[in-house]
Amino acid sequence: MFNKKKNNDKEENIMNTENTSENTAENVENTDATANETEQALELTAEEKLQAEVQQLNDKYLRLYAEFDNYKRRTQKERVELLQTAGKDVIVSLLPVLDDFDRALKAMETAADVAPVKEGILLVSTKLKNTLAQKGLKDVESINQPFDTDFHEAITNIPAPTEDLKGKVIDEVEKGYTLNDNVIRFAKVVVGA
């Protein structure tokens, strides 16, 4: 009886050993499968990380592009507004001169004497020149000056009345002007030859 029991125990141990061997083999297979899945998960995770990074960089690029596009539109709009209102301060400063001209025209209609009208027109002219000078406008000096193509435009040449007037401006047909030291209109002149 005891022998039977021992034999049964031996058989159970052998079976348990076989089961353990089978379980170990299964565990090794499961471990290998889990390791493969983990590697695949890590590979997928790395791939997913790269895709997420690419998506993030793409999003950042699109936002930056949109921001730059908005900046270009805004600056273009500001430039257009600036060009439309660039002369506003000059025009506003000339409005009083325009009012003075209107008053002078009304005074000319009823004036019996020419002297006060002439004096009024001279005052308005002086006021206009002073206002423009405050904005940076200057006359180009031409008469008896050496001919300079940077400031003068020659209309014609005439024989110089004296030797010292050769190559110099003899007459001015139209005044030249500079605005903040930049020529905005060349003086049209007659040069002695």
Side-chain angles (χ1 to χ4, degrees):
M1 193 162 143
F2 286 113
N3 279 340
K4 276 189 180 183
K5 199 173 192 186
K6 283 183 184 178
N7 284 340
N8 283 340
D9 285 342
K10 282 183 183 178
E11 285 177 16
E12 283 180 17
N13 281 340
I14 291 172
M15 290 177 94
N16 282 340
T17 307
E18 288 175 2
N19 285 341
T20 306
S21 298
E22 289 175 8
N23 286 341
T24 306
E26 286 177 13
N27 284 341
V28 169
E29 288 176 11
N30 286 340
T31 306
D32 288 344
T34 307
N36 286 341
E37 288 175 7
T38 307
E39 286 178 18
Q40 287 178 352
L42 288 176
E43 287 178 15
L44 289 176
T45 305
E47 187 177 313
E48 288 173 355
K49 284 181 183 178
L50 289 175
Q51 285 178 346
E53 186 178 341
V54 165
Q55 184 65 28
Q56 183 183 13
L57 290 173
N58 239 359
D59 185 50
K60 186 177 179 182
Y61 167 74
L62 288 175
R63 289 180 189 272
L64 187 63
Y65 183 78
E67 186 177 325
F68 181 69
D69 196 38
N70 289 340
Y71 167 76
K72 283 191 333 187
R73 284 189 192 132
R74 185 175 58 248
T75 55
Q76 185 177 13
K77 182 180 177 184
E78 288 172 356
R79 255 188 260 134
V80 167
E81 288 175 1
L82 180 66
L83 289 174
Q84 288 175 346
T85 59
K88 181 181 177 183
D89 61 331
V90 174
I91 299 296
V92 168
S93 65
L94 290 177
L95 289 177
V97 177
L98 186 62
D99 294 338
D100 289 346
F101 271 119
D102 289 339
R103 282 196 256 344
L105 289 173
K106 281 185 183 178
M108 283 174 38
E109 291 174 1
T110 59
D113 193 12
V114 177
V117 173
K118 183 178 179 183
E119 185 180 334
I121 296 294
L122 286 174
L123 288 173
V124 173
S125 175
T126 305
K127 186 175 184 179
L128 175 64
K129 286 180 181 178
N130 288 338
T131 303
L132 292 173
Q134 289 174 354
K135 299 297 178 185
L137 186 73
K138 293 180 185 172
D139 295 351
V140 173
E141 294 295 323
S142 298
I143 304 290
N144 295 330
Q145 298 291 324
F147 177 71
D148 185 1
T149 56
D150 291 337
F151 298 104
H152 305 123
E153 179 181 339
I155 300 290
T156 187
N157 286 344
I158 61 169
T162 61
E163 280 296 315
D164 61 326
L165 290 178
K166 279 190 176 182
K168 291 188 177 182
V169 175
I170 295 174
D171 190 19
E172 185 176 57
V173 177
E174 189 175 82
K175 269 194 164 301
Y177 293 98
T178 61
L179 181 62
N180 298 324
D181 297 327
N182 294 321
V183 176
I184 59 172
R185 185 170 86 179
F186 293 98
K188 294 183 179 173
V189 296
V190 176
V191 181

Coordinates of all heavy atoms in Angstrom, one line a residue, residues 42-124:
L42 N 7.3 49.1 -28.7 CA 8.3 50.2 -28.7 C 8.5 50.7 -30.0 O 8.7 51.9 -30.2 CB 9.6 49.6 -28.1 CG 9.6 49.3 -26.6 CD1 10.9 48.7 -26.2 CD2 9.3 50.6 -25.8
E43 N 8.6 49.8 -31.1 CA 8.8 50.3 -32.4 C 7.6 51.2 -32.8 O 7.7 52.2 -33.4 CB 8.9 49.1 -33.4 CG 10.3 48.5 -33.3 CD 10.4 47.3 -34.2 OE1 9.5 47.1 -35.1 OE2 11.3 46.5 -34.0
L44 N 6.4 50.7 -32.5 CA 5.2 51.5 -32.9 C 5.2 52.8 -32.1 O 4.9 53.9 -32.6 CB 3.9 50.7 -32.6 CG 3.6 49.6 -33.5 CD1 2.4 48.8 -33.1 CD2 3.5 50.0 -34.9
T45 N 5.6 52.7 -30.9 CA 5.7 53.9 -30.1 C 6.7 54.9 -30.7 O 6.4 56.1 -30.8 CB 6.1 53.6 -28.6 OG1 5.1 52.6 -28.1 CG2 6.0 54.8 -27.7
A46 N 7.9 54.4 -31.1 CA 8.9 55.3 -31.7 C 8.3 55.9 -33.0 O 8.5 57.0 -33.3 CB 10.2 54.5 -31.9
E47 N 7.7 55.0 -33.8 CA 7.1 55.5 -35.0 C 6.0 56.5 -34.8 O 5.9 57.5 -35.4 CB 6.5 54.3 -35.8 CG 6.0 54.6 -37.2 CD 5.6 53.4 -37.9 OE1 6.3 52.4 -37.9 OE2 4.5 53.5 -38.5
E48 N 5.2 56.2 -33.8 CA 4.1 57.1 -33.4 C 4.7 58.4 -32.9 O 4.2 59.5 -33.2 CB 3.2 56.5 -32.3 CG 2.3 55.4 -32.9 CD 1.6 54.6 -31.8 OE1 1.8 54.9 -30.6 OE2 0.7 53.8 -32.1
K49 N 5.8 58.3 -32.1 CA 6.4 59.5 -31.6 C 6.9 60.4 -32.8 O 6.8 61.6 -32.8 CB 7.6 59.2 -30.7 CG 7.2 58.8 -29.4 CD 8.5 58.5 -28.5 CE 8.1 57.9 -27.2 NZ 9.3 57.6 -26.4
L50 N 7.5 59.7 -33.8 CA 8.0 60.5 -35.0 C 6.9 61.1 -35.7 O 7.0 62.2 -36.2 CB 8.9 59.5 -35.9 CG 10.2 59.1 -35.3 CD1 10.9 58.1 -36.2 CD2 11.1 60.3 -35.1
Q51 N 5.8 60.3 -35.9 CA 4.6 60.9 -36.6 C 4.0 62.0 -35.8 O 3.7 63.1 -36.4 CB 3.6 59.8 -36.8 CG 3.9 58.8 -37.9 CD 2.9 57.7 -38.0 OE1 2.0 57.5 -37.2 NE2 3.0 57.0 -39.1
A52 N 4.0 61.9 -34.5 CA 3.5 63.0 -33.7 C 4.4 64.2 -33.8 O 3.9 65.4 -33.9 CB 3.4 62.6 -32.2
E53 N 5.7 64.0 -33.8 CA 6.6 65.1 -34.0 C 6.5 65.8 -35.3 O 6.5 67.0 -35.4 CB 8.1 64.6 -33.8 CG 9.1 65.7 -33.7 CD 10.5 65.2 -33.5 OE1 10.6 64.0 -33.0 OE2 11.4 65.9 -33.8
V54 N 6.3 65.0 -36.4 CA 6.1 65.5 -37.7 C 4.8 66.3 -37.8 O 4.8 67.4 -38.3 CB 6.1 64.4 -38.8 CG1 5.6 64.8 -40.1 CG2 7.5 63.8 -39.0
Q55 N 3.8 65.8 -37.1 CA 2.5 66.5 -37.1 C 2.6 67.8 -36.4 O 2.1 68.8 -36.8 CB 1.4 65.6 -36.5 CG 0.1 66.2 -36.5 CD -0.5 66.4 -37.9 OE1 -0.2 65.6 -38.8 NE2 -1.3 67.4 -38.1
Q56 N 3.4 67.8 -35.3 CA 3.6 69.0 -34.5 C 4.4 70.0 -35.3 O 4.0 71.2 -35.3 CB 4.3 68.6 -33.2 CG 4.5 69.8 -32.2 CD 5.3 69.4 -31.0 OE1 5.9 68.3 -30.9 NE2 5.3 70.3 -30.0
L57 N 5.4 69.6 -35.9 CA 6.2 70.5 -36.7 C 5.4 71.1 -37.9 O 5.6 72.2 -38.2 CB 7.5 69.8 -37.2 CG 8.6 69.5 -36.1 CD1 9.7 68.7 -36.7 CD2 9.1 70.8 -35.5
N58 N 4.6 70.2 -38.5 CA 3.8 70.7 -39.6 C 2.8 71.7 -39.1 O 2.6 72.8 -39.8 CB 3.0 69.5 -40.2 CG 3.2 69.3 -41.6 OD1 4.0 70.0 -42.3 ND2 2.6 68.3 -42.2
D59 N 2.2 71.5 -37.9 CA 1.3 72.4 -37.4 C 2.0 73.8 -37.1 O 1.4 74.8 -37.4 CB 0.6 71.8 -36.1 CG -0.4 72.7 -35.5 OD1 -1.4 73.1 -36.3 OD2 -0.4 73.0 -34.3
K60 N 3.2 73.7 -36.5 CA 3.9 74.8 -36.2 C 4.3 75.6 -37.4 O 4.2 76.9 -37.5 CB 5.2 74.4 -35.4 CG 6.0 75.6 -34.9 CD 7.2 75.0 -34.1 CE 8.1 76.1 -33.6 NZ 9.3 75.6 -32.9
Y61 N 4.7 74.9 -38.5 CA 5.0 75.5 -39.8 C 3.8 76.3 -40.3 O 3.9 77.4 -40.8 CB 5.5 74.5 -40.8 CG 5.6 75.0 -42.2 CD1 6.6 75.9 -42.6 CD2 4.6 74.6 -43.1 CE1 6.6 76.3 -43.9 CE2 4.7 75.0 -44.4 CZ 5.7 75.9 -44.8 OH 5.7 76.4 -46.1
L62 N 2.6 75.6 -40.3 CA 1.4 76.2 -40.9 C 1.0 77.5 -40.1 O 0.6 78.5 -40.7 CB 0.3 75.2 -40.9 CG 0.4 74.1 -41.9 CD1 -0.8 73.1 -41.8 CD2 0.4 74.7 -43.3
R63 N 1.1 77.4 -38.8 CA 0.8 78.6 -38.0 C 1.8 79.7 -38.2 O 1.3 80.9 -38.3 CB 0.8 78.2 -36.5 CG -0.3 77.3 -36.0 CD -0.2 77.0 -34.6 NE -1.2 76.0 -34.2 CZ -2.5 76.2 -33.9 NH1 -2.9 77.5 -33.8 NH2 -3.3 75.3 -33.5
L64 N 3.0 79.4 -38.4 CA 4.0 80.4 -38.6 C 3.8 81.0 -40.0 O 3.9 82.2 -40.2 CB 5.4 79.8 -38.6 CG 6.6 80.8 -38.7 CD1 6.6 81.8 -37.5 CD2 7.9 80.0 -38.7
Y65 N 3.5 80.2 -41.0 CA 3.2 80.7 -42.4 C 1.9 81.6 -42.3 O 1.9 82.7 -43.0 CB 3.0 79.5 -43.3 CG 2.7 79.9 -44.7 CD1 3.8 80.3 -45.5 CD2 1.4 80.0 -45.3 CE1 3.6 80.7 -46.8 CE2 1.2 80.3 -46.6 CZ 2.3 80.7 -47.4 OH 2.1 81.1 -48.6
A66 N 0.9 81.2 -41.6 CA -0.3 82.0 -41.5 C 0.0 83.3 -40.8 O -0.5 84.4 -41.3 CB -1.4 81.2 -40.8
E67 N 0.8 83.3 -39.8 CA 1.1 84.5 -39.1 C 1.9 85.4 -40.0 O 1.7 86.6 -40.0 CB 2.0 84.1 -37.8 CG 2.2 85.3 -36.9 CD 3.0 84.9 -35.7 OE1 2.7 83.8 -35.2 OE2 3.8 85.7 -35.2
F68 N 2.9 84.9 -40.8 CA 3.6 85.7 -41.7 C 2.7 86.3 -42.8 O 2.9 87.5 -43.1 CB 4.8 84.9 -42.3 CG 5.6 85.7 -43.2 CD1 6.4 86.7 -42.7 CD2 5.6 85.5 -44.6 CE1 7.2 87.5 -43.6 CE2 6.4 86.2 -45.5 CZ 7.2 87.2 -45.0
D69 N 1.8 85.5 -43.3 CA 0.9 86.0 -44.3 C 0.0 87.1 -43.8 O -0.2 88.1 -44.4 CB 0.0 84.8 -44.8 CG -0.7 85.1 -46.1 OD1 0.0 85.8 -47.0 OD2 -1.8 84.7 -46.2
N70 N -0.4 87.0 -42.5 CA -1.2 88.0 -41.9 C -0.4 89.3 -41.7 O -0.8 90.4 -41.9 CB -1.8 87.6 -40.5 CG -2.9 86.6 -40.7 OD1 -3.5 86.5 -41.7 ND2 -3.1 85.8 -39.6
Y71 N 0.9 89.1 -41.3 CA 1.8 90.3 -41.2 C 2.0 91.0 -42.5 O 1.9 92.2 -42.6 CB 3.2 89.8 -40.7 CG 4.3 90.8 -40.8 CD1 4.4 91.8 -39.8 CD2 5.2 90.7 -41.8 CE1 5.4 92.8 -39.9 CE2 6.2 91.6 -41.9 CZ 6.3 92.7 -40.9 OH 7.3 93.6 -41.0
K72 N 2.2 90.2 -43.6 CA 2.3 90.9 -44.9 C 1.1 91.7 -45.3 O 1.2 92.8 -45.8 CB 2.6 89.8 -46.0 CG 4.0 89.3 -46.0 CD 4.4 88.4 -47.2 CE 3.3 87.7 -47.9 NZ 3.8 86.8 -48.9
R73 N -0.1 91.1 -45.1 CA -1.3 91.8 -45.4 C -1.5 93.0 -44.6 O -1.9 94.1 -45.1 CB -2.5 90.8 -45.1 CG -2.7 89.8 -46.2 CD -4.0 89.1 -46.0 NE -4.1 87.9 -46.9 CZ -4.5 86.7 -46.5 NH1 -4.8 86.5 -45.2 NH2 -4.5 85.7 -47.3
R74 N -1.2 92.9 -43.3 CA -1.3 94.1 -42.4 C -0.4 95.2 -42.8 O -0.8 96.4 -42.9 CB -1.1 93.6 -40.9 CG -1.3 94.7 -39.9 CD -1.1 94.2 -38.5 NE 0.2 93.7 -38.2 CZ 0.4 92.4 -38.0 NH1 -0.5 91.5 -38.0 NH2 1.7 92.0 -37.7
T75 N 0.9 94.9 -43.1 CA 1.8 95.9 -43.5 C 1.5 96.5 -44.8 O 1.6 97.7 -45.0 CB 3.3 95.4 -43.5 OG1 3.3 94.2 -44.4 CG2 3.8 95.0 -42.1
Q76 N 1.0 95.7 -45.7 CA 0.5 96.2 -47.0 C -0.7 97.2 -46.8 O -0.7 98.3 -47.4 CB 0.1 95.1 -48.0 CG -0.2 95.6 -49.4 CD -0.5 94.4 -50.3 OE1 -0.7 93.3 -49.9 NE2 -0.5 94.7 -51.6
K77 N -1.6 96.8 -46.0 CA -2.7 97.7 -45.7 C -2.3 99.0 -45.1 O -2.7 100.1 -45.4 CB -3.7 97.0 -44.8 CG -4.9 97.7 -44.5 CD -5.8 96.9 -43.5 CE -7.1 97.8 -43.2 NZ -7.9 97.0 -42.2
E78 N -1.3 98.9 -44.1 CA -0.8 100.1 -43.5 C -0.1 101.0 -44.5 O -0.2 102.2 -44.4 CB 0.2 99.7 -42.4 CG -0.5 99.1 -41.1 CD 0.5 98.6 -40.1 OE1 1.7 98.6 -40.4 OE2 0.0 98.1 -39.1
R79 N 0.7 100.4 -45.4 CA 1.3 101.2 -46.5 C 0.4 101.9 -47.3 O 0.6 103.1 -47.7 CB 2.2 100.2 -47.4 CG 3.7 100.4 -47.1 CD 4.5 99.6 -48.1 NE 4.9 98.4 -47.4 CZ 4.9 97.2 -48.0 NH1 4.5 97.1 -49.2 NH2 5.2 96.1 -47.3
V80 N -0.7 101.2 -47.7 CA -1.7 101.9 -48.6 C -2.4 103.0 -47.8 O -2.6 104.1 -48.3 CB -2.8 100.8 -49.0 CG1 -4.0 101.5 -49.6 CG2 -2.2 99.9 -50.0
E81 N -2.7 102.8 -46.5 CA -3.3 103.9 -45.7 C -2.3 105.0 -45.6 O -2.7 106.2 -45.6 CB -3.7 103.4 -44.3 CG -4.9 102.5 -44.3 CD -5.2 101.8 -43.0 OE1 -4.4 102.1 -42.0 OE2 -6.1 101.1 -42.9
L82 N -1.0 104.7 -45.4 CA 0.0 105.8 -45.2 C 0.1 106.6 -46.5 O 0.2 107.8 -46.5 CB 1.4 105.1 -44.9 CG 2.5 106.1 -44.7 CD1 2.3 107.0 -43.5 CD2 3.8 105.4 -44.6
L83 N 0.1 105.9 -47.7 CA 0.2 106.6 -48.9 C -1.0 107.5 -49.2 O -1.0 108.6 -49.7 CB 0.3 105.7 -50.1 CG 1.7 105.0 -50.2 CD1 1.7 103.9 -51.3 CD2 2.8 106.0 -50.5
Q84 N -2.2 107.0 -48.7 CA -3.4 107.8 -48.9 C -3.5 109.0 -48.0 O -4.0 110.0 -48.4 CB -4.7 106.9 -48.6 CG -4.9 105.9 -49.7 CD -6.1 105.0 -49.4 OE1 -6.5 104.9 -48.2 NE2 -6.5 104.2 -50.4
T85 N -2.8 108.9 -46.9 CA -2.9 110.0 -45.9 C -1.5 110.7 -45.7 O -1.3 111.5 -44.8 CB -3.4 109.6 -44.5 OG1 -2.5 108.6 -44.0 CG2 -4.8 109.0 -44.6
A86 N -0.6 110.4 -46.6 CA 0.8 110.9 -46.4 C 0.8 112.5 -46.5 O 1.5 113.1 -45.8 CB 1.7 110.3 -47.5
G87 N 0.0 113.0 -47.4 CA 0.0 114.5 -47.6 C -1.0 115.2 -46.7 O -1.2 116.4 -46.8
K88 N -1.6 114.4 -45.8 CA -2.7 115.0 -45.0 C -2.2 116.2 -44.2 O -2.8 117.3 -44.2 CB -3.2 114.0 -44.0 CG -4.3 114.5 -43.2 CD -4.8 113.4 -42.2 CE -5.9 114.0 -41.3 NZ -6.4 112.9 -40.4
D89 N -1.0 116.1 -43.5 CA -0.5 117.2 -42.7 C -0.2 118.4 -43.6 O -0.4 119.6 -43.1 CB 0.7 116.8 -41.9 CG 1.9 116.3 -42.7 OD1 1.6 115.8 -43.8 OD2 3.0 116.5 -42.2
V90 N 0.3 118.2 -44.8 CA 0.6 119.4 -45.7 C -0.7 120.0 -46.1 O -0.8 121.3 -46.1 CB 1.4 118.9 -46.9 CG1 1.6 120.0 -47.9 CG2 2.8 118.3 -46.4
I91 N -1.7 119.2 -46.5 CA -3.0 119.7 -46.9 C -3.6 120.5 -45.8 O -4.1 121.6 -46.0 CB -3.9 118.6 -47.4 CG1 -3.3 117.9 -48.6 CG2 -5.3 119.1 -47.8 CD1 -3.1 118.7 -49.8
V92 N -3.6 120.0 -44.6 CA -4.2 120.7 -43.4 C -3.5 122.0 -43.2 O -4.2 123.0 -42.9 CB -4.2 119.7 -42.2 CG1 -4.5 120.5 -40.9 CG2 -5.1 118.6 -42.4
S93 N -2.2 122.0 -43.3 CA -1.5 123.3 -43.1 C -1.7 124.3 -44.2 O -1.5 125.5 -44.0 CB 0.0 123.0 -43.0 OG 0.6 122.5 -44.2
L94 N -2.1 123.8 -45.4 CA -2.4 124.7 -46.5 C -3.8 125.3 -46.5 O -4.1 126.2 -47.2 CB -2.1 124.1 -47.8 CG -0.6 123.8 -48.1 CD1 -0.5 123.1 -49.5 CD2 0.1 125.1 -48.2
L95 N -4.7 124.7 -45.7 CA -6.1 125.1 -45.7 C -6.3 126.6 -45.3 O -7.1 127.3 -45.9 CB -6.9 124.2 -44.8 CG -7.2 122.8 -45.3 CD1 -8.0 122.0 -44.3 CD2 -7.9 122.8 -46.6
P96 N -5.5 127.1 -44.3 CA -5.7 128.5 -44.0 C -5.2 129.4 -45.2 O -5.8 130.5 -45.4 CB -4.7 128.8 -42.8 CG -4.6 127.4 -42.2 CD -4.7 126.4 -43.3
V97 N -4.2 129.0 -46.0 CA -3.8 129.8 -47.1 C -4.9 129.8 -48.2 O -5.2 130.8 -48.8 CB -2.5 129.2 -47.7 CG1 -2.1 129.9 -49.0 CG2 -1.4 129.2 -46.7
L98 N -5.6 128.6 -48.3 CA -6.7 128.5 -49.3 C -7.8 129.5 -48.8 O -8.4 130.1 -49.7 CB -7.2 127.1 -49.4 CG -8.2 126.8 -50.4 CD1 -7.7 127.0 -51.8 CD2 -8.7 125.3 -50.2
D99 N -8.1 129.5 -47.5 CA -9.1 130.4 -47.0 C -8.7 131.9 -47.3 O -9.6 132.7 -47.7 CB -9.3 130.3 -45.5 CG -9.9 128.9 -45.1 OD1 -10.5 128.3 -46.0 OD2 -9.7 128.5 -44.0
D100 N -7.4 132.2 -47.2 CA -7.0 133.6 -47.5 C -7.1 133.9 -48.9 O -7.5 135.0 -49.3 CB -5.5 133.7 -47.1 CG -5.3 133.8 -45.6 OD1 -6.3 133.9 -44.8 OD2 -4.1 133.6 -45.1
F101 N -6.9 133.0 -49.8 CA -7.1 133.2 -51.2 C -8.6 133.4 -51.5 O -8.9 134.3 -52.3 CB -6.6 132.0 -52.1 CG -5.2 132.1 -52.5 CD1 -4.2 131.2 -52.1 CD2 -4.7 133.2 -53.3 CE1 -2.9 131.3 -52.4 CE2 -3.4 133.3 -53.6 CZ -2.5 132.4 -53.2
D102 N -9.5 132.7 -50.9 CA -10.9 132.9 -51.1 C -11.3 134.3 -50.6 O -12.1 135.0 -51.3 CB -11.7 131.9 -50.3 CG -11.7 130.5 -50.9 OD1 -11.3 130.4 -52.1 OD2 -11.9 129.5 -50.2
R103 N -10.8 134.8 -49.5 CA -11.1 136.1 -49.0 C -10.5 137.2 -50.0 O -11.2 138.2 -50.2 CB -10.5 136.3 -47.6 CG -11.3 135.7 -46.5 CD -10.9 136.2 -45.2 NE -10.2 135.6 -44.2 CZ -9.7 134.3 -44.0 NH1 -9.9 133.5 -44.7 NH2 -9.1 133.8 -43.1
A104 N -9.3 136.9 -50.5 CA -8.7 137.9 -51.5 C -9.6 138.0 -52.7 O -9.8 139.0 -53.3 CB -7.3 137.4 -51.8
L105 N -10.1 136.8 -53.2 CA -11.0 136.8 -54.4 C -12.2 137.6 -54.2 O -12.7 138.4 -55.0 CB -11.3 135.4 -54.9 CG -10.1 134.6 -55.5 CD1 -10.5 133.2 -55.7 CD2 -9.7 135.3 -56.8
K106 N -12.8 137.5 -53.0 CA -14.0 138.2 -52.6 C -13.7 139.7 -52.6 O -14.5 140.6 -53.0 CB -14.6 137.8 -51.3 CG -15.4 136.5 -51.4 CD -16.1 136.2 -50.1 CE -16.8 134.8 -50.2 NZ -17.4 134.5 -48.9
A107 N -12.6 140.0 -52.0 CA -12.2 141.4 -51.9 C -11.9 142.1 -53.2 O -12.2 143.2 -53.4 CB -10.9 141.6 -51.0
M108 N -11.4 141.3 -54.2 CA -11.1 141.8 -55.5 C -12.4 142.1 -56.2 O -12.4 143.1 -57.1 CB -10.3 140.8 -56.3 CG -8.9 140.7 -56.0 SD -7.9 139.4 -56.8 CE -8.5 139.3 -58.4
E109 N -13.5 141.5 -55.9 CA -14.8 141.7 -56.6 C -15.3 143.1 -56.3 O -15.9 143.8 -57.1 CB -15.8 140.7 -56.2 CG -15.5 139.3 -56.8 CD -16.5 138.2 -56.3 OE1 -17.4 138.6 -55.6 OE2 -16.3 137.1 -56.7
T110 N -15.1 143.5 -55.0 CA -15.7 144.8 -54.6 C -14.6 145.9 -54.5 O -15.0 147.0 -54.1 CB -16.4 144.6 -53.2 OG1 -15.4 144.1 -52.3 CG2 -17.5 143.6 -53.4
A111 N -13.4 145.6 -54.8 CA -12.3 146.6 -54.5 C -12.3 147.7 -55.6 O -12.5 147.4 -56.8 CB -11.0 145.9 -54.5
A112 N -12.2 148.9 -55.1 CA -12.1 150.0 -56.1 C -10.6 150.4 -56.3 O -10.3 150.9 -57.4 CB -12.8 151.2 -55.5
D113 N -9.8 150.1 -55.3 CA -8.4 150.4 -55.4 C -7.6 149.1 -55.5 O -7.9 148.1 -54.9 CB -8.0 151.2 -54.2 CG -6.6 151.8 -54.3 OD1 -6.1 151.9 -55.5 OD2 -6.0 152.3 -53.3
V114 N -6.6 149.1 -56.4 CA -5.8 147.9 -56.7 C -4.7 147.7 -55.6 O -4.3 146.5 -55.3 CB -5.2 148.0 -58.1 CG1 -4.3 146.8 -58.3 CG2 -6.2 148.1 -59.1
A115 N -4.2 148.7 -55.0 CA -3.1 148.6 -54.0 C -3.4 147.7 -52.9 O -2.6 146.8 -52.5 CB -2.7 150.0 -53.6
P116 N -4.6 147.8 -52.2 CA -4.8 146.9 -51.0 C -4.9 145.5 -51.5 O -4.5 144.5 -50.8 CB -6.1 147.4 -50.4 CG -6.4 148.7 -51.0 CD -5.6 148.9 -52.3
V117 N -5.5 145.2 -52.7 CA -5.7 143.9 -53.2 C -4.3 143.3 -53.5 O -4.0 142.1 -53.1 CB -6.5 143.8 -54.5 CG1 -6.5 142.5 -55.1 CG2 -7.9 144.3 -54.1
K118 N -3.4 144.1 -54.1 CA -2.1 143.6 -54.4 C -1.3 143.3 -53.1 O -0.6 142.3 -53.0 CB -1.3 144.7 -55.1 CG 0.1 144.3 -55.6 CD 0.7 145.4 -56.4 CE 2.1 145.1 -56.8 NZ 2.8 146.1 -57.5
E119 N -1.5 144.1 -52.1 CA -0.8 143.9 -50.8 C -1.4 142.6 -50.1 O -0.6 141.8 -49.6 CB -1.1 145.1 -49.8 CG -0.4 145.0 -48.5 CD -0.7 146.2 -47.6 OE1 -1.0 147.3 -48.2 OE2 -0.6 146.0 -46.4
G120 N -2.7 142.4 -50.2 CA -3.3 141.1 -49.7 C -2.7 139.9 -50.4 O -2.4 138.9 -49.7
I121 N -2.6 139.9 -51.7 CA -2.1 138.8 -52.5 C -0.7 138.5 -52.1 O -0.3 137.4 -52.0 CB -2.3 139.0 -54.0 CG1 -3.7 139.1 -54.4 CG2 -1.6 138.0 -54.8 CD1 -4.5 137.9 -54.2
L122 N 0.1 139.6 -51.9 CA 1.5 139.4 -51.5 C 1.6 138.7 -50.1 O 2.5 137.8 -49.9 CB 2.3 140.7 -51.5 CG 2.6 141.3 -52.9 CD1 3.2 142.7 -52.8 CD2 3.6 140.3 -53.6
L123 N 0.7 139.1 -49.2 CA 0.7 138.5 -47.9 C 0.3 137.0 -48.0 O 0.9 136.2 -47.3 CB -0.3 139.3 -47.0 CG 0.1 140.6 -46.5 CD1 -1.0 141.3 -45.7 CD2 1.4 140.5 -45.6
V124 N -0.7 136.7 -48.8 CA -1.1 135.3 -48.9 C 0.1 134.5 -49.6 O 0.3 133.4 -49.2 CB -2.4 135.2 -49.8 CG1 -2.7 133.8 -50.1 CG2 -3.5 135.9 -49.1

